[in-house]
Amino acid sequence: MAVQPAPPSRTESVGPASAGGMGTPTAGTPVGQAPGAGSNQNLNQIVLEYLSKKGYSRTEAMLRRESGSIAFDATGQPVTFDDKFKGRRWHEAYSVVKTWVDSILDIYKPELSRILWPLFVHCFIETIADCYPGEGRFFFTECRKPFDDEHSDDLRALSNVQEPEHVQQNDIAQLYRTNKYRLTLSKMGFATLIEFLETKEGEGGKSINFLINNHLDIRTVDRAAIGGVRGLQKLMEEKQGDEQAPAEDEGIHGHHPGSANLNPDATGALHRLQLAPMPMEIDLMDDVKAELNHEDSSNPPRPGRSTLVEQFEQRIKVEPSDDTAPSRDSIPFPPSTARDVAMEVQKVKENRDRFRIEGKTGGVGPGVSVTMITFHNTFDSVNCVEFSNDNILAAVGTAESYIRVWSLDNHALASPQDPPGFQPSSSRRLVGHSGPVYALSFSPSAAVPAPPTNGHTDHQSSSDSHPRYMLSCSADTTIRLWSLDTWTNLVVYRSHNSPVWDVRFCPHGHYFASSSADRTARLWSTPQIAPLRIFAGHDSDVETVAWHPNGAYIFTGAGVGDKTVRMWSIAQGTQARIFTGHAGNVTAIACAPNGHVVASADDKGVIILWDLRTGRLVKRMRGHGPGGIWSLGWSVESTVLVSGGADCSVRVWDVQPSKDTQAKVNGENGAAAKVDGPAVNGGAAASKVGKVKGREQSTADMISDFKTKKSPVYTARFTNMNLVVAGGAYLP
Amino acid sequence: MSVWNPENVTDVAESIGIASLNRDVVEHLARDVEYRMSQVLNEALKFMRHGKRTTLTTQDVSQALRLLDVEPLYGYESTRPLRFGEASIGPGQPLFYVEDEEVEFEKLINAPLPKVPREMSYTAHWLAVEGVQPSIPQNPLTDPRSAELAAKGSSANSTLAAVSGNDNIAVKPLVKHILSKELQLYFERICGAILDESNGEYRSAAFASLRTDTGLHQLIPYFIQFVADKVTHNLKSIFVLTQTMQLLAALLDNQSLFLAPYVPGIVPSILTCLIGKHLGNPALDGATTHFALRDYSASLLSKTARQYGPSSSTLKPRIARSCLKHFLDSHKPFGTHYGAVLGLTMIAGAQGVRTLILPNLKAYDLHLQEGMKDDSGKREQAEYVVQAILRALQTLQEDAVMGMSSNGHPAGEALRERLVGAVGQVVGGRVFESGREGLIGAVLERDPVV
């Protein structure tokens, strides 16, 4: 039998020790005659007799009057609020607050309604901890309705907590009990709340006050003064849009918005970030320049276009002065090779020749082309789809523990280890894991086109720039490194002690990051079998991981209970930013190529953009149906975001933080739909379809929405030439 | 009050020899069982989510048990959703069990092996081109209007039903594509200009514009439609055919256009001009003018194949197949054969000539001889074919492995015999007459002895 938890502290409890003992009967059964039940009355009698004997008549009268006003129940107990309701006392207290919040002035309603969720959780936990499972369950089913949308995961985790020892063991319950839930209220709102609780002291106000004091961390701000996102007007607007989303400083972490400093007394100053691209090695730069010069002289650009060298120099110069770049010393890389030179040259070429995507200008979104690669006959066993950067290889990880790789241009995937006479096909199977494979990542590569050859003699396109390695992670807690030359397993990385959910190669190769159900993310380098860094801090599974384009930071996103996106510095191994505001499990993160904005998506269908420097939320974008946004991708110019998810659609988003479009929600045939104009018919038409259900309303910044035919989209990303490649499995 | 029936706890207790259990203990245990189960399910849901699925499988549950450090349940692996049967063991006491199929042993052994599940494969298609979703079978219906109409049912109005694609008539909802006034005007002007027989300057200006203008992308499908239209309706007019081919050439030349998605639409038109049965009007244009058109189409086709062959793995084989088919069909006129030989040479190169043309020359010789005998114009046509074949054979010479030639071949009549035996009377004779050692060597090199 589990050790009985310490009885919950009760401020005003004078009743019998009903909180103790696990055999407590359920609702309605009378509490057994407490040992000293009658003695209280007897004592009064004795005192009164004593007073009259001594002649203290006025004191006697006073005592009689006072004791007369106290109601006594059948057993002679003075009745207080708590005892009158027994197991229902938290329920009653919560109901009192709930009815009050529902009927309060509209200006306070949006902010005060946010307090109901933590109160609900704590009232439920307290009821269970007081050993009233029946009442707890009744309260839960009765009052959970308003939170079904936003907190469905927490509700599911809490729904079966029935015993005090469950409270001790349940992650979510512990999270709420050991941390203070932070909430920001306006001064007036908070004052009215306290005032109300004081007037209702006897009807549960005290209990609520106790919860607020012990488990909530309420900050008060002067809304009229601060304005902006937390301003009064903003709150009113949100109320009209019926928005139910947590503010970015709400949650159980109590951090300053954006800052990773959890100390409540810390100043609001943020850790300075190094967001500029990683400087290039001097030798490499010289080599690349020489190569580009050679290229320019043999292939002079068409009139009106700049030479490759000019392009290259422009790219290096472009660095804005207010960003510092991480130094190469803090993050060592192996010396560059001819392969790196070839890849850099190709990058410069692509930079010149690419189809540029500008942001949404004049209300017309850019036309984006999407190639969809659909996998058939998968029987829902495909867990992830991944394309190499040069778009030559496609790989899927399956629930049957193997990985399958295809060559997209139908070349045979040969290996020097093939037995003689073996006919290599255009697909390979990599076997090694002993659990479902959850993520794959190719080492960086660039599509260097083969020199134009005549007709049939074309061979494997320039073999020195194709991806050499692939990483995979699996439920068997290992990460494996595969060679794409021999198609064999090279290294097994063991260190995580729970299933590994995600693994990503550093944009420059050599390093990689992984995230796991053991609540940590880890940094590795390919030649070492032990992790270099362990990033601990998330309160639940680290679901996904992503790299900053300069390779100096990683981003992690967590699931139920935590729901934060965190940014970690590779060099220091510390948290640099925390972003709170998601209502569901974070399913995908992607950092913009310009290094200033990060986008994260959750399984409620919301995409949030965060500004890294200020650590603040830029905007929320809605439109995807619930069920998970599996992938996010940025265009090379960081102007457009593409997302793909379980609702079988690929959507294109405008990322400009425009104020007027942000609050607006596409109305039925409303102005917002018209703004899209004729050029994006697909998008406008689709958003009209989405209007049938209130929940699928999309915000005006969705540029277009391309539905697939019964194929959930597992990955969607921009190539270096700004074409979107999406992958999914057809599930009839 | 709990979902899990406390009776079950009592049953289990009795089965392991605990006769009487306090009522409170039973209820407490039942609640605990329920909590543990929900805990397992919560973990299992995580695995489902990371498998990007919407159905929970037995696999997920065993993974969850493993994560919670509990021995997983073996023997419940299943790739299909489990069906549960219900049996009653008394009034109001349903018993649920997994419905397993009963299989007769004898039958199972004698039955043919079940089919192997189909191999996992992938297909690629355009989900969107420049922000517009093309209405191809791989994409779902996008037009909400047609979906609406379809939903209303076909019984209401047969024409409406036909419009919405509900009828058996395959009407695809058209994607709305909006062209600016300027582009429309441009399109009309260009089409008018290139078909203007009288004004050559006007024509060349139009082609120059097509070759260099950067903003034509939206018009590509219209131009291709225009070409297809003109080609099908103007087979008799060499002029129109030539002009349309030049239009395509100009589009292909334009560096700023991306034609890869449209190649399947372009190729049939070119093929028609290459291997069409009767091109032009022999009475008006003369009997041999169409050969020039075929030459031009062949070079256009080879350019297309060179440019877009790498991005479409089936393009070259498809073209080669249709060329070969027409070459082997002796009922087709010589013009078609000429085009087919040209096409094969251009598309497949020396390799193709060696494997596709050379082995068939002997059989073709019969037809060729017939043509050479005939005096009425047919001879002239056959001559063209012979020239084309010789040109094809020349590519062989360029590709041949040098060094082992010349020394093995006999001279004089014997050599002629061998050549005739290899490639037939007419062509063999010509090759012999040409007297070029390299060419002869290349032709006879057919079966190199290694």
Side-chain angles (χ1 to χ4, degrees):
Chain A
M1 186 54 58
V3 179
Q4 191 62 32
S9 50
R10 286 189 184 181
T11 44
E12 276 324 281
S13 173
V14 290
S18 59
M22 50 153 297
T24 308
T26 51
T29 43
V31 182
Q33 192 83 359
S39 61
N40 201 356
Q41 210 168 5
N42 295 345
L43 189 69
N44 269 358
Q45 212 62 44
I46 294 164
V47 173
L48 284 174
E49 275 168 20
Y50 167 79
L51 286 176
S52 65
K53 209 166 26 180
K54 285 281 179 183
Y56 297 132
S57 57
R58 277 175 63 194
T59 316
E60 188 196 337
M62 188 63 101
L63 183 63
R64 275 185 195 282
R65 205 166 72 221
E66 270 187 37
S67 62
S69 70
I70 296 174
F72 287 92
D73 64 7
T75 57
Q77 280 280 321
V79 175
T80 63
F81 166 77
D82 292 342
D83 296 304
K84 196 163 70 197
F85 291 106
K86 302 231 167 54
R88 285 175 53 87
R89 78 168 179 133
W90 294 106
H91 187 166
E92 290 299 325
Y94 175 79
S95 309
V96 165
V97 179
K98 174 91 168 67
T99 29
W100 177 70
V101 169
D102 285 347
S103 62
I104 199 173
L105 279 178
D106 272 357
I107 55 160
Y108 298 130
K109 212 181 227 170
E111 49 174 328
L112 282 175
S113 61
R114 302 297 310 170
I115 205 175
L116 288 176
W117 165 249
L119 288 182
F120 169 78
V121 172
H122 282 291
C123 285
F124 173 65
I125 294 174
E126 293 296 335
T127 313
I128 295 294
D130 287 357
C131 283
Y132 290 107
E135 283 83 349
R137 174 161 281 228
F138 176 71
F139 169 61
F140 191 80
T141 46
E142 195 84 333
C143 300
R144 65 178 285 177
K145 198 94 194 80
F147 312 112
D148 269 347
D149 273 352
E150 192 185 323
H151 298 285
S152 54
D153 295 311
D154 299 83
L155 284 173
R156 196 182 324 113
L158 287 172
S159 62
N160 272 300
V161 173
Q162 303 194 33
E163 301 283 343
E165 53 265 46
H166 296 164
V167 173
Q168 292 293 310
Q169 287 169 17
N170 190 290
D171 296 334
I172 303 291
Q174 274 309 302
L175 209 58
Y176 277 92
R177 291 202 104 186
T178 51
N179 292 295
K180 285 193 164 190
Y181 193 96
R182 179 184 159 132
L183 202 63
T184 307
L185 295 179
S186 70
K187 275 194 178 129
M188 272 310 286
F190 187 56
T192 37
L193 174 69
I194 293 300
E195 199 179 317
F196 166 76
L197 290 178
E198 274 170 2
T199 59
K200 293 284 181 185
E201 197 170 41
E203 293 154 58
K206 229 165 199 158
S207 310
I208 298 297
N209 228 334
F210 162 76
L211 290 182
I212 290 178
N213 283 332
N214 280 283
H215 296 302
L216 265 65
D217 171 20
I218 293 186
R219 308 291 174 94
T220 53
V221 290
D222 196 346
R223 288 212 194 275
I226 59 168
V229 194
R230 317 277 311 140
L232 192 65
Q233 199 182 355
K234 179 77 187 134
L235 275 176
M236 293 297 284
E237 269 173 25
E238 278 180 7
K239 201 207 58 96
Q240 282 160 4
D242 201 18
E243 292 210 28
Q244 275 287 327
E248 54 181 308
D249 53 356
E250 180 183 326
I252 41 191
H253 307 284
H255 63 280
H256 297 281
S259 164
N261 195 341
L262 296 184
N263 181 0
D265 302 323
T267 56
L270 292 176
H271 178 78
R272 199 169 155 73
L273 297 176
Q274 301 173 315
L275 297 179
M278 174 89 73
M280 214 183 255
E281 241 178 306
I282 306 293
D283 292 350
L284 179 62
M285 204 180 322
D286 293 343
D287 285 349
V288 170
K289 252 185 213 164
E291 184 71 23
L292 289 175
N293 257 326
H294 174 72
E295 192 80 22
D296 275 336
S297 54
S298 60
N299 267 334
R302 285 189 286 125
R305 301 190 89 175
S306 52
T307 62
L308 292 170
V309 179
E310 281 163 18
Q311 279 280 334
F312 181 60
E313 263 155 18
Q314 203 181 349
R315 230 176 63 151
I316 298 175
K317 238 178 267 168
V318 140
E319 289 173 31
S321 52
D322 55 340
D323 267 338
T324 47
S327 76
R328 284 196 86 87
D329 303 333
S330 60
I331 306 168
F333 277 96
S336 56
T337 59
R339 185 170 181 272
D340 296 314
V341 177
M343 275 166 55
E344 284 302 324
V345 168
Q346 181 58 22
K347 265 186 216 160
V348 176
K349 274 196 213 162
E350 281 170 344
N351 195 38
R352 184 183 67 175
D353 301 340
R354 149 172 73 237
F355 166 69
R356 267 161 232 289
I357 295 184
E358 306 302 332
K360 198 170 180 170
T361 42
V364 178
V368 175
S369 298
V370 185
T371 310
M372 174 86 188
I373 296 191
T374 316
F375 291 87
H376 301 270
N377 308 323
T378 60
F379 305 104
D380 214 351
S381 69
V382 168
N383 285 350
C384 54
V385 176
E386 190 73 22
F387 301 107
S388 65
N389 272 358
D390 59 356
N391 299 309
I392 296 293
L393 295 175
V396 301
T398 65
E400 279 99 39
S401 312
Y402 68 88
I403 301 158
R404 187 123 187 229
V405 187
W406 280 273
S407 138
L408 289 177
D409 57 357
N410 265 328
H411 276 298
L413 302 176
S415 151
Q417 293 181 345
D418 285 336
F422 179 78
Q423 273 279 325
S425 71
S426 64
S427 148
R428 281 264 177 181
R429 220 177 268 253
L430 305 178
V431 182
H433 279 295
S434 60
V437 180
Y438 288 120
L440 299 168
S441 179
F442 283 100
S443 69
S445 59
V448 178
T453 49
N454 237 347
H456 62 289
T457 47
D458 85 333
H459 53 91
Q460 180 88 33
S461 63
S462 61
S463 53
D464 60 341
S465 70
H466 77 274
R468 287 241 179 95
Y469 307 108
M470 182 171 66
L471 285 166
S472 64
C473 68
S474 153
D476 63 7
T477 74
T478 63
I479 301 162
R480 281 169 193 264
L481 182 74
W482 306 85
S483 160
L484 302 185
D485 294 317
T486 59
W487 305 102
T488 48
N489 187 202
L490 298 177
V491 192
V492 183
Y493 302 96
R494 295 174 210 274
S495 170
H496 281 295
N497 45 25
S498 289
V500 187
W501 295 135
D502 200 2
V503 66
R504 287 287 121 206
F505 249 115
C506 171
H508 310 106
H510 190 65
Y511 295 102
F512 64 93
S514 64
S515 72
S516 158
D518 63 10
R519 303 181 181 189
T520 62
R522 294 175 198 221
L523 176 79
W524 313 70
S525 72
T526 40
Q528 277 162 288
I529 55 163
L532 304 174
R533 297 263 188 279
I534 297 181
F535 303 108
H538 278 294
D539 288 322
S540 69
D541 295 25
V542 187
E543 308 255 338
T544 174
V545 65
W547 282 85
H548 189 273
N550 70 8
Y553 298 94
I554 64 165
F555 301 91
T556 55
V560 205
D562 189 62
K563 298 176 196 162
T564 55
V565 175
R566 297 181 193 221
M567 180 183 188
W568 310 79
S569 156
I570 295 294
Q572 277 95 44
T574 53
Q575 289 185 48
R577 295 281 187 275
I578 298 187
F579 306 106
T580 48
H582 275 293
N585 301 301
V586 180
T587 52
I589 303 179
C591 186
N594 66 12
H596 292 156
V597 186
V598 68
S600 57
D602 64 29
D603 60 0
K604 291 267 160 52
V606 176
I607 300 172
I608 304 185
L609 297 181
W610 311 92
D611 187 322
L612 291 183
R613 268 207 223 102
T614 57
R616 302 304 291 260
L617 187 146
V618 179
K619 65 173 174 179
R620 268 195 180 92
M621 304 190 289
R622 251 177 235 88
H624 268 291
I629 296 172
W630 302 130
S631 180
L632 292 172
W634 286 85
S635 73
V636 185
E637 289 88 8
S638 305
T639 46
V640 165
L641 184 75
V642 66
S643 65
D647 61 348
C648 302
S649 67
V650 173
R651 289 169 202 244
V652 185
W653 306 88
D654 177 38
V655 298
Q656 293 309 313
S658 48
K659 266 189 189 129
D660 46 334
T661 53
Q662 188 187 345
K664 217 187 291 168
V665 171
N666 273 356
E668 186 108 26
N669 302 322
K674 260 181 230 149
V675 168
D676 281 2
V680 281
N681 254 293
S687 57
K688 247 179 258 162
V689 175
K691 225 139 290 142
V692 181
K693 276 186 189 167
R695 288 192 57 183
E696 286 184 16
Q697 274 183 344
S698 54
T699 42
D701 33 28
M702 186 170 81
I703 294 171
S704 27
D705 168 16
F706 307 117
K707 293 258 190 299
T708 66
K709 215 175 192 177
K710 290 183 194 157
S711 316
V713 182
Y714 293 166
T715 176
R717 63 174 186 85
F718 277 94
T719 66
N720 290 340
M721 301 297 272
N722 271 339
L723 170 76
V724 178
V725 180
Y730 178 60
L731 302 175
Chain B
M1 103 196 150
S2 54
V3 179
W4 188 256
N5 193 347
E7 299 291 321
N8 290 336
V9 179
T10 325
D11 289 348
V12 173
E14 275 167 10
S15 74
I16 57 166
I18 302 169
S20 65
L21 213 53
N22 191 333
R23 172 98 200 136
D24 288 343
V25 175
V26 168
E27 272 182 5
H28 181 79
L29 280 176
R31 283 198 293 268
D32 199 53
V33 168
E34 204 181 322
Y35 173 71
R36 300 296 156 197
M37 287 200 308
S38 81
Q39 205 181 356
V40 171
L41 284 177
N42 266 329
E43 293 297 323
L45 281 175
K46 244 185 240 173
F47 285 92
M48 178 187 90
R49 200 172 62 233
H50 282 277
K52 301 192 173 66
R53 275 175 279 114
T54 45
T55 41
L56 193 70
T57 63
T58 48
Q59 270 283 345
D60 294 330
V61 176
S62 31
Q63 291 283 356
L65 288 171
R66 217 166 273 155
L67 184 64
L68 293 168
D69 219 2
V70 182
E71 181 86 357
L73 298 166
Y74 297 105
Y76 290 92
E77 298 283 301
S78 166
T79 46
R80 64 190 164 88
L82 294 176
R83 265 217 318 250
F84 288 93
E86 187 183 341
S88 177
I89 52 167
Q93 282 181 298
L95 179 73
F96 293 94
Y97 60 94
V98 179
E99 228 172 49
D100 275 325
E101 224 178 305
E102 271 180 35
V103 181
E104 217 170 295
F105 216 50
E106 195 78 16
K107 249 187 210 165
L108 187 72
I109 293 170
N110 292 329
L113 285 174
K115 268 189 195 154
V116 178
R118 299 180 71 183
E119 175 85 334
M120 204 195 291
S121 63
Y122 70 86
T123 56
H125 72 271
W126 289 102
L127 187 64
V129 176
E130 310 257 308
V132 180
Q133 198 163 14
S135 61
I136 47 175
Q138 287 95 327
N139 286 335
L141 247 62
T142 41
D143 196 345
R145 269 179 312 145
S146 62
E148 208 175 288
L149 285 172
K152 275 183 186 158
S154 51
S155 57
N157 188 335
S158 61
T159 43
L160 259 187
V163 165
S164 67
N166 224 355
D167 210 312
N168 282 335
I169 310 160
V171 179
K172 293 269 149 51
L174 293 169
V175 171
K176 231 192 242 165
H177 196 193
I178 286 151
L179 280 182
S180 65
K181 264 262 155 53
E182 292 84 354
L183 277 177
Q184 288 180 27
L185 205 62
Y186 177 82
F187 178 73
E188 275 163 27
R189 284 286 171 82
I190 290 279
C191 292
I194 60 169
L195 294 181
D196 189 350
E197 232 164 309
S198 56
N199 195 342
E201 210 173 308
Y202 202 25
R203 278 206 307 268
S204 54
F207 287 132
S209 164
L210 283 177
R211 211 162 276 136
T212 50
D213 223 318
T214 51
L216 298 180
H217 212 154
Q218 282 200 299
L219 285 176
I220 294 175
Y222 295 90
F223 276 123
I224 285 162
Q225 183 62 36
F226 171 76
V227 167
D229 215 43
K230 288 290 165 208
V231 166
T232 33
H233 293 113
N234 293 290
L235 283 175
K236 290 268 176 255
S237 162
I238 290 276
F239 173 75
V240 174
L241 293 179
T242 315
Q243 291 308 309
T244 52
M245 284 304 108
Q246 282 188 11
L247 192 152
L248 285 183
L251 287 179
L252 281 170
D253 272 347
N254 194 328
Q255 291 292 320
S256 60
L257 296 184
F258 178 64
L259 286 177
Y262 306 101
V263 167
I266 298 177
V267 168
S269 303
I270 308 181
L271 271 180
T272 309
C273 290
L274 180 65
I275 53 179
K277 248 184 184 171
H278 302 287
L279 299 176
N281 193 344
L284 272 177
D285 308 319
T288 54
T289 32
H290 63 97
F291 286 111
L293 173 64
R294 289 182 203 271
D295 278 336
Y296 189 77
S297 321
S299 67
L300 196 57
L301 193 62
S302 81
K303 185 187 164 117
T304 317
R306 239 196 345 266
Q307 228 168 337
Y308 300 106
S311 61
S312 159
S313 55
T314 57
L315 180 66
K316 282 187 181 182
R318 272 207 321 261
I319 297 176
R321 200 176 306 131
S322 51
C323 282
L324 188 63
K325 206 177 97 201
H326 284 91
F327 176 54
L328 295 180
D329 188 349
S330 58
H331 297 294
K332 292 268 158 54
F334 280 114
T336 301
H337 293 155
Y338 175 80
V341 170
L342 269 189
L344 277 175
T345 320
M346 297 271 195
I347 293 295
Q351 186 108 38
V353 172
R354 189 174 295 127
T355 54
L356 298 175
I357 298 186
L358 211 49
N360 295 316
L361 278 180
K362 183 102 172 106
Y364 186 68
D365 186 55
L366 217 62
H367 185 58
L368 212 51
Q369 276 178 19
E370 247 169 60
M372 296 301 264
K373 271 180 215 144
D374 197 317
D375 271 337
S376 61
K378 247 193 177 179
R379 190 194 164 87
E380 200 182 354
Q381 309 244 355
E383 188 63 34
Y384 268 98
V385 180
V386 172
Q387 288 304 329
I389 293 175
L390 283 179
R391 250 181 287 161
L393 292 179
Q394 261 173 36
T395 60
L396 275 187
Q397 183 190 351
E398 284 149 26
D399 191 62
V401 188
M402 283 301 155
M404 56 172 280
S405 59
S406 74
N407 54 1
H409 305 305
E413 272 312 298
L415 177 59
R416 191 192 171 95
E417 281 301 306
R418 269 187 75 174
L419 280 172
V420 169
V423 294
Q425 196 101 41
V426 183
V427 181
R430 292 296 174 85
V431 171
F432 179 71
E433 279 159 28
S434 76
R436 285 159 55 190
E437 291 224 329
L439 181 61
I440 297 169
V443 173
L444 290 178
E445 196 199 42
R446 182 158 57 130
D447 302 310
V449 188
V450 183

